[in-house]
Amino acid sequence: MDQHIAESIGRPDLIRLDDRLVCLRFETMKVVSALAAVRHLLDTGVVRRGDTLLDSSSGIYAYALALTCHRYGLHCHIVGSATVDHTLRTQLAVLGATLEQMEPCSDLKLDQKRRVERIHEILAAHPEYHWMRQYHDDVHYLGYRAIADRIREATGTDALTLVGGVGSGASTGALARYLREDAEGAADVELVGVQPYGSVTFGSEHVTDTEMIIAGIGSSIPFGNVSHELYDTLHWVSFDAALAGSVDLLRRHAVFAGLSTGAGYLAARHERERSPHRTVLFIAPDTGHRYVDTVYARHREAAPIAGLAPREVTDRSDLALPWSRMRWNRAAA
Protein backbone atom coordinates (compact mmCIF):
# COMPACT_ATOMS: atom_id res chain seq x y z
CA MET A 1 0.00 0.00 0.00
CA ASP A 2 1.29 3.48 -0.87
CA GLN A 3 2.11 5.86 1.96
CA HIS A 4 1.36 9.00 -0.07
CA ILE A 5 -0.57 9.93 -3.21
CA ALA A 6 2.69 11.00 -4.90
CA GLU A 7 3.83 7.38 -5.01
CA SER A 8 0.63 6.35 -6.77
CA ILE A 9 0.72 9.25 -9.23
CA GLY A 10 4.31 8.43 -10.14
CA ARG A 11 3.61 4.78 -11.00
CA PRO A 12 3.12 4.43 -14.78
CA ASP A 13 0.91 2.08 -16.78
CA LEU A 14 2.35 -0.06 -19.57
CA ILE A 15 -0.22 -0.35 -22.34
CA ARG A 16 0.29 -2.52 -25.43
CA LEU A 17 -1.39 -0.66 -28.29
CA ASP A 18 -0.53 -3.37 -30.80
CA ASP A 19 1.97 -6.20 -31.14
CA ARG A 20 5.00 -3.86 -31.41
CA LEU A 21 3.82 -0.52 -30.04
CA VAL A 22 3.76 0.09 -26.29
CA CYS A 23 2.77 3.20 -24.34
CA LEU A 24 4.42 4.03 -21.00
CA ARG A 25 1.65 6.22 -19.60
CA PHE A 26 2.10 8.46 -16.55
CA GLU A 27 -0.37 10.66 -14.76
CA THR A 28 2.48 13.04 -13.90
CA MET A 29 5.91 11.68 -14.85
CA LYS A 30 8.11 14.21 -13.05
CA VAL A 31 6.84 12.98 -9.70
CA VAL A 32 9.14 9.99 -10.30
CA SER A 33 12.27 12.14 -10.55
CA ALA A 34 11.25 14.59 -7.81
CA LEU A 35 10.47 11.86 -5.24
CA ALA A 36 13.73 9.99 -5.77
CA ALA A 37 15.82 13.18 -5.92
CA VAL A 38 14.44 14.56 -2.66
CA ARG A 39 14.65 11.20 -0.91
CA HIS A 40 18.33 11.04 -1.90
CA LEU A 41 18.95 14.59 -0.64
CA LEU A 42 17.32 13.72 2.68
CA ASP A 43 19.22 10.43 3.02
CA THR A 44 22.56 12.12 2.35
CA GLY A 45 21.87 15.05 4.66
CA VAL A 46 21.92 17.71 1.95
CA VAL A 47 18.47 18.84 3.10
CA ARG A 48 16.46 18.23 6.25
CA ARG A 49 12.76 18.16 7.01
CA GLY A 50 11.46 21.70 7.30
CA ASP A 51 13.88 23.08 4.70
CA THR A 52 12.69 24.98 1.62
CA LEU A 53 13.22 23.58 -1.86
CA LEU A 54 13.30 26.02 -4.76
CA ASP A 55 13.07 25.68 -8.52
CA SER A 56 11.81 27.16 -11.77
CA SER A 57 9.05 25.41 -13.70
CA SER A 58 6.64 25.78 -16.58
CA GLY A 59 4.12 23.62 -14.73
CA ILE A 60 4.51 19.87 -14.33
CA TYR A 61 7.66 19.89 -12.23
CA ALA A 62 6.10 22.50 -9.95
CA TYR A 63 3.28 20.08 -9.16
CA ALA A 64 5.70 17.17 -8.75
CA LEU A 65 7.94 19.10 -6.35
CA ALA A 66 4.96 20.40 -4.36
CA LEU A 67 3.67 16.83 -3.92
CA THR A 68 7.13 15.64 -2.92
CA CYS A 69 7.57 18.40 -0.36
CA HIS A 70 4.14 17.55 1.04
CA ARG A 71 5.25 13.91 1.28
CA TYR A 72 8.50 14.64 3.14
CA GLY A 73 7.59 17.65 5.28
CA LEU A 74 9.46 20.30 3.30
CA HIS A 75 8.56 23.76 2.05
CA CYS A 76 8.27 24.41 -1.68
CA HIS A 77 8.88 27.67 -3.55
CA ILE A 78 8.32 27.83 -7.31
CA VAL A 79 9.25 30.52 -9.82
CA GLY A 80 6.73 29.70 -12.52
CA SER A 81 6.23 30.70 -16.11
CA ALA A 82 3.03 32.26 -17.42
CA THR A 83 1.93 28.78 -18.57
CA VAL A 84 1.04 27.79 -14.98
CA ASP A 85 -2.75 27.76 -15.22
CA HIS A 86 -5.51 28.45 -12.69
CA THR A 87 -6.02 24.78 -11.82
CA LEU A 88 -2.35 24.26 -11.01
CA ARG A 89 -2.08 27.56 -9.12
CA THR A 90 -4.96 26.45 -6.92
CA GLN A 91 -3.45 23.02 -6.27
CA LEU A 92 -0.07 24.52 -5.38
CA ALA A 93 -1.69 26.94 -2.94
CA VAL A 94 -3.67 24.22 -1.18
CA LEU A 95 -0.59 21.97 -1.01
CA GLY A 96 1.25 24.78 0.78
CA ALA A 97 3.66 25.68 -2.02
CA THR A 98 4.38 29.32 -2.80
CA LEU A 99 4.38 30.44 -6.41
CA GLU A 100 5.94 33.49 -8.03
CA GLN A 101 4.56 33.65 -11.54
CA MET A 102 6.33 35.57 -14.29
CA GLU A 103 4.46 38.06 -16.42
CA PRO A 104 3.41 36.76 -19.86
CA CYS A 105 6.24 36.85 -22.39
CA SER A 106 6.22 35.92 -26.09
CA ASP A 107 9.95 35.12 -25.99
CA LEU A 108 10.56 31.71 -24.35
CA LYS A 109 14.29 32.38 -23.97
CA LEU A 110 13.59 35.63 -22.15
CA ASP A 111 11.00 33.91 -19.95
CA GLN A 112 13.48 31.22 -18.88
CA LYS A 113 16.23 33.81 -18.41
CA ARG A 114 14.00 35.93 -16.15
CA ARG A 115 13.05 32.90 -14.06
CA VAL A 116 16.68 31.92 -13.52
CA GLU A 117 17.58 35.49 -12.61
CA ARG A 118 14.79 35.48 -10.04
CA ILE A 119 16.08 32.18 -8.60
CA HIS A 120 19.48 33.81 -8.01
CA GLU A 121 17.84 36.78 -6.34
CA ILE A 122 15.93 34.49 -3.99
CA LEU A 123 19.06 32.48 -3.16
CA ALA A 124 20.97 35.68 -2.39
CA ALA A 125 18.26 36.60 0.11
CA HIS A 126 17.78 33.03 1.38
CA PRO A 127 21.05 31.07 1.03
CA GLU A 128 19.55 28.31 3.20
CA TYR A 129 17.11 27.38 0.41
CA HIS A 130 18.06 24.38 -1.75
CA TRP A 131 17.83 24.91 -5.52
CA MET A 132 16.71 21.63 -7.10
CA ARG A 133 18.12 22.48 -10.56
CA GLN A 134 15.88 20.01 -12.38
CA TYR A 135 17.54 20.87 -15.70
CA HIS A 136 21.12 20.35 -14.55
CA ASP A 137 21.39 18.04 -11.53
CA ASP A 138 21.47 14.36 -12.51
CA VAL A 139 20.03 13.42 -9.13
CA HIS A 140 16.80 13.54 -11.16
CA TYR A 141 17.88 10.38 -13.02
CA LEU A 142 17.55 8.18 -9.94
CA GLY A 143 13.81 7.59 -9.93
CA TYR A 144 13.80 6.05 -13.40
CA ARG A 145 15.79 2.93 -12.46
CA ALA A 146 12.67 1.21 -11.10
CA ILE A 147 10.76 2.19 -14.26
CA ALA A 148 13.53 0.73 -16.43
CA ASP A 149 13.39 -2.52 -14.45
CA ARG A 150 9.67 -2.72 -15.06
CA ILE A 151 10.09 -2.12 -18.80
CA ARG A 152 12.83 -4.75 -18.96
CA GLU A 153 10.55 -7.29 -17.30
CA ALA A 154 7.59 -6.48 -19.57
CA THR A 155 9.26 -6.08 -22.98
CA GLY A 156 12.86 -7.21 -22.64
CA THR A 157 15.76 -5.20 -24.00
CA ASP A 158 16.39 -7.14 -27.20
CA ALA A 159 15.45 -4.94 -30.18
CA LEU A 160 13.72 -2.26 -28.09
CA THR A 161 13.32 1.33 -29.31
CA LEU A 162 12.52 3.96 -26.67
CA VAL A 163 10.84 7.18 -27.84
CA GLY A 164 10.24 10.29 -25.74
CA GLY A 165 10.38 14.05 -25.50
CA VAL A 166 13.87 15.20 -24.56
CA GLY A 167 12.99 18.12 -22.28
CA SER A 168 15.39 18.24 -19.33
CA GLY A 169 16.99 14.98 -20.53
CA ALA A 170 16.28 13.09 -17.31
CA SER A 171 13.55 10.65 -18.34
CA THR A 172 14.80 9.49 -21.73
CA GLY A 173 18.46 9.70 -20.70
CA ALA A 174 17.99 7.75 -17.49
CA LEU A 175 15.75 5.07 -19.02
CA ALA A 176 18.15 4.48 -21.91
CA ARG A 177 21.15 4.33 -19.60
CA TYR A 178 19.52 1.88 -17.18
CA LEU A 179 17.97 -0.28 -19.92
CA ARG A 180 21.34 -0.63 -21.63
CA GLU A 181 22.81 -2.00 -18.38
CA ASP A 182 21.67 -5.53 -19.18
CA ALA A 183 23.45 -7.96 -16.87
CA GLU A 184 23.91 -10.46 -19.69
CA GLY A 185 25.14 -7.89 -22.15
CA ALA A 186 22.24 -8.58 -24.51
CA ALA A 187 20.64 -5.14 -24.45
CA ASP A 188 19.81 -3.67 -27.86
CA VAL A 189 18.11 -0.41 -26.92
CA GLU A 190 17.85 2.51 -29.31
CA LEU A 191 16.86 5.95 -28.04
CA VAL A 192 14.76 8.32 -30.15
CA GLY A 193 14.40 11.88 -28.86
CA VAL A 194 11.52 14.18 -29.77
CA GLN A 195 12.02 17.94 -29.97
CA PRO A 196 9.94 21.00 -30.87
CA TYR A 197 11.21 23.44 -33.47
CA GLY A 198 13.02 26.39 -31.91
CA SER A 199 14.81 24.33 -29.26
CA VAL A 200 18.56 24.83 -28.81
CA THR A 201 19.11 21.36 -27.32
CA PHE A 202 19.78 19.68 -30.66
CA GLY A 203 20.16 22.80 -32.78
CA SER A 204 16.75 23.73 -34.20
CA GLU A 205 16.66 27.28 -32.86
CA HIS A 206 16.76 28.66 -36.40
CA VAL A 207 13.34 27.18 -37.25
CA THR A 208 10.21 28.80 -35.84
CA ASP A 209 6.89 27.07 -35.26
CA THR A 210 4.40 29.87 -35.81
CA GLU A 211 1.61 28.05 -33.99
CA MET A 212 3.07 27.22 -30.56
CA ILE A 213 6.15 25.69 -28.96
CA ILE A 214 5.37 22.35 -27.32
CA ALA A 215 6.14 23.04 -23.67
CA GLY A 216 8.41 20.73 -21.76
CA ILE A 217 10.20 18.81 -24.53
CA GLY A 218 12.58 21.52 -25.73
CA SER A 219 14.53 24.46 -24.39
CA SER A 220 15.76 27.90 -25.30
CA ILE A 221 18.81 27.49 -23.00
CA PRO A 222 21.28 24.56 -22.69
CA PHE A 223 20.35 21.88 -20.14
CA GLY A 224 23.10 20.02 -18.29
CA ASN A 225 21.00 16.87 -17.84
CA VAL A 226 20.83 16.18 -21.58
CA SER A 227 23.40 13.52 -22.53
CA HIS A 228 23.47 13.93 -26.30
CA GLU A 229 25.61 10.84 -26.78
CA LEU A 230 22.74 8.58 -25.65
CA TYR A 231 20.46 9.41 -28.61
CA ASP A 232 20.37 7.45 -31.86
CA THR A 233 17.71 9.44 -33.72
CA LEU A 234 15.93 12.80 -33.38
CA HIS A 235 12.46 13.85 -34.52
CA TRP A 236 11.43 17.51 -34.64
CA VAL A 237 7.63 17.82 -34.55
CA SER A 238 5.48 20.91 -35.03
CA PHE A 239 2.42 21.83 -33.00
CA ASP A 240 0.04 20.89 -35.84
CA ALA A 241 1.62 17.45 -36.31
CA ALA A 242 1.62 16.81 -32.55
CA LEU A 243 -2.05 17.86 -32.38
CA ALA A 244 -2.84 15.28 -35.07
CA GLY A 245 -0.93 12.64 -33.11
CA SER A 246 -2.68 13.45 -29.83
CA VAL A 247 -6.14 13.31 -31.40
CA ASP A 248 -5.39 10.05 -33.24
CA LEU A 249 -4.03 8.45 -30.04
CA LEU A 250 -7.26 9.26 -28.21
CA ARG A 251 -9.51 8.29 -31.10
CA ARG A 252 -7.72 5.06 -32.02
CA HIS A 253 -6.49 3.86 -28.62
CA ALA A 254 -8.53 5.89 -26.07
CA VAL A 255 -5.32 7.25 -24.47
CA PHE A 256 -5.94 10.84 -23.30
CA ALA A 257 -2.51 12.43 -23.03
CA GLY A 258 -0.62 15.68 -23.49
CA LEU A 259 0.73 17.33 -26.61
CA SER A 260 4.26 15.97 -26.19
CA THR A 261 2.75 12.47 -26.13
CA GLY A 262 1.10 13.14 -29.49
CA ALA A 263 4.50 14.07 -30.92
CA GLY A 264 6.09 10.95 -29.40
CA TYR A 265 3.29 8.76 -30.72
CA LEU A 266 3.87 10.01 -34.27
CA ALA A 267 7.60 9.36 -33.99
CA ALA A 268 7.03 5.92 -32.45
CA ARG A 269 4.65 4.82 -35.21
CA HIS A 270 7.18 5.90 -37.83
CA GLU A 271 10.05 4.05 -36.12
CA ARG A 272 7.89 0.93 -35.84
CA GLU A 273 7.23 0.98 -39.59
CA ARG A 274 10.94 1.45 -40.37
CA SER A 275 12.02 -1.48 -38.17
CA PRO A 276 9.51 -4.36 -38.33
CA HIS A 277 11.60 -6.52 -35.97
CA ARG A 278 11.75 -4.00 -33.09
CA THR A 279 9.36 -3.24 -30.24
CA VAL A 280 8.78 0.51 -29.92
CA LEU A 281 7.87 2.05 -26.55
CA PHE A 282 6.93 5.72 -26.28
CA ILE A 283 6.57 7.85 -23.15
CA ALA A 284 3.31 9.61 -22.31
CA PRO A 285 4.43 11.96 -19.49
CA ASP A 286 1.08 13.48 -18.51
CA THR A 287 -2.66 13.45 -19.15
CA GLY A 288 -4.48 15.61 -21.67
CA HIS A 289 -6.41 17.78 -19.22
CA ARG A 290 -4.17 20.83 -19.68
CA TYR A 291 -4.69 20.62 -23.44
CA VAL A 292 -8.48 20.42 -23.70
CA ASP A 293 -8.87 23.97 -25.02
CA THR A 294 -5.64 24.27 -27.02
CA VAL A 295 -5.61 20.80 -28.60
CA TYR A 296 -8.64 18.58 -28.12
CA ALA A 297 -11.23 21.30 -28.74
CA ARG A 298 -9.62 21.57 -32.20
CA HIS A 299 -9.92 17.87 -33.00
CA ARG A 300 -11.81 18.56 -36.24
CA GLU A 301 -8.75 20.42 -37.53
CA ALA A 302 -6.46 17.43 -36.96
CA ALA A 303 -4.85 16.10 -40.11
CA PRO A 304 -5.12 12.32 -40.73
CA ILE A 305 -1.83 10.89 -39.54
CA ALA A 306 -1.70 8.50 -42.50
CA GLY A 307 -0.82 11.53 -44.60
CA LEU A 308 2.03 12.66 -42.32
CA ALA A 309 5.64 11.58 -42.70
CA PRO A 310 8.93 13.16 -41.60
CA ARG A 311 11.35 14.91 -43.89
CA GLU A 312 14.61 12.94 -43.70
CA VAL A 313 17.58 15.26 -43.17
CA THR A 314 21.29 14.75 -42.67
CA ASP A 315 22.06 18.32 -41.62
CA ARG A 316 20.15 20.57 -39.23
CA SER A 317 20.22 23.39 -41.76
CA ASP A 318 17.66 21.33 -43.73
CA LEU A 319 15.13 21.08 -40.89
CA ALA A 320 11.64 22.12 -41.97
CA LEU A 321 8.11 22.07 -40.60
CA PRO A 322 5.96 20.17 -39.89
CA TRP A 323 8.12 17.12 -39.11
CA SER A 324 11.79 16.25 -39.64
CA ARG A 325 13.89 13.20 -38.74
CA MET A 326 17.66 12.87 -38.47
CA ARG A 327 20.02 10.13 -37.40
CA TRP A 328 22.06 11.44 -34.46
CA ASN A 329 24.23 8.33 -34.02
CA ARG A 330 25.06 8.98 -30.36
CA ALA A 331 27.15 12.02 -31.19
CA ALA A 332 28.36 14.36 -28.48
CA ALA A 333 26.91 17.83 -28.14
Side-chain angles (χ1 to χ4, degrees), residues 14 24 147-156 160 175 179 281:
L14 273 168
L24 180 68
I147 309 298
D149 291 341
R150 187 171 173 204
I151 294 170
R152 184 182 291 106
E153 181 180 346
T155 68
L160 175 66
L175 287 174
L179 286 168
L281 182 148

Side-chain angles (χ1 to χ4, degrees), residues 112-272:
Q112 289 183 321
K113 180 174 180 290
R114 287 192 308 180
R115 281 188 275 146
V116 173
E117 288 174 348
R118 180 57 187 148
I119 291 283
H120 286 294
E121 290 174 358
I122 294 170
L123 289 172
H126 297 278
E128 74 278 11
Y129 286 9
H130 180 80
W131 183 13
M132 290 298 295
R133 302 176 76 246
Q134 63 151 322
Y135 303 128
H136 305 292
D137 191 340
D138 64 5
V139 71
H140 291 90
Y141 274 48
L142 298 176
Y144 293 100
R145 183 177 288 280
I147 309 298
D149 291 341
R150 187 171 173 204
I151 294 170
R152 184 182 291 106
E153 181 180 346
T155 68
T157 55
D158 181 22
L160 175 66
T161 298
L162 174 67
V163 180
V166 178
S168 70
S171 60
T172 49
L175 287 174
R177 190 169 284 170
Y178 294 143
L179 286 168
R180 288 169 181 168
E181 292 176 353
D182 194 299
E184 298 178 0
D188 172 15
V189 178
E190 291 200 353
L191 179 58
V192 177
V194 180
Q195 285 271 275
Y197 291 94
S199 172
V200 305
T201 308
F202 285 91
S204 68
E205 62 269 26
H206 60 290
V207 184
T208 301
D209 188 341
T210 56
E211 180 69 66
M212 168 182 164
I213 291 176
I214 305 172
I217 65 171
S219 176
S220 63
I221 58 176
F223 287 165
N225 271 341
V226 178
S227 298
H228 293 72
E229 68 279 2
L230 294 174
Y231 296 84
D232 297 283
T233 302
L234 269 298
H235 285 251
W236 288 267
V237 181
S238 71
F239 173 88
D240 289 337
L243 182 150
S246 298
V247 171
D248 189 87
L249 180 61
L250 179 57
R251 181 178 289 136
R252 191 186 304 261
H253 298 290
V255 176
F256 182 50
L259 192 60
S260 62
T261 300
Y265 170 66
L266 276 186
R269 284 175 56 92
H270 182 79
E271 295 300 322
R272 181 194 58 177

Side-chain angles (χ1 to χ4, degrees), residues 38-118:
V38 172
R39 190 163 54 243
H40 176 77
L41 295 173
L42 286 165
D43 290 345
T44 55
V46 175
V47 300
R48 296 175 295 177
R49 289 180 183 272
D51 284 355
T52 296
L53 305 186
L54 169 71
D55 214 343
S56 164
S57 173
S58 59
I60 295 177
Y61 187 79
Y63 179 52
L65 189 59
L67 283 173
T68 300
C69 288
H70 188 278
R71 166 74 175 85
Y72 289 116
L74 296 150
H75 300 290
C76 178
H77 189 96
I78 298 294
V79 178
S81 73
T83 58
V84 177
D85 60 21
H86 173 71
T87 300
L88 180 54
R89 287 197 301 271
T90 304
Q91 285 178 287
L92 293 176
V94 175
L95 285 168
T98 54
L99 170 69
E100 293 186 39
Q101 191 165 10
M102 296 288 102
E103 292 296 321
C105 178
S106 59
D107 186 330
L108 179 61
K109 185 172 184 177
L110 179 58
D111 176 66
Q112 289 183 321
K113 180 174 180 290
R114 287 192 308 180
R115 281 188 275 146
V116 173
E117 288 174 348
R118 180 57 187 148

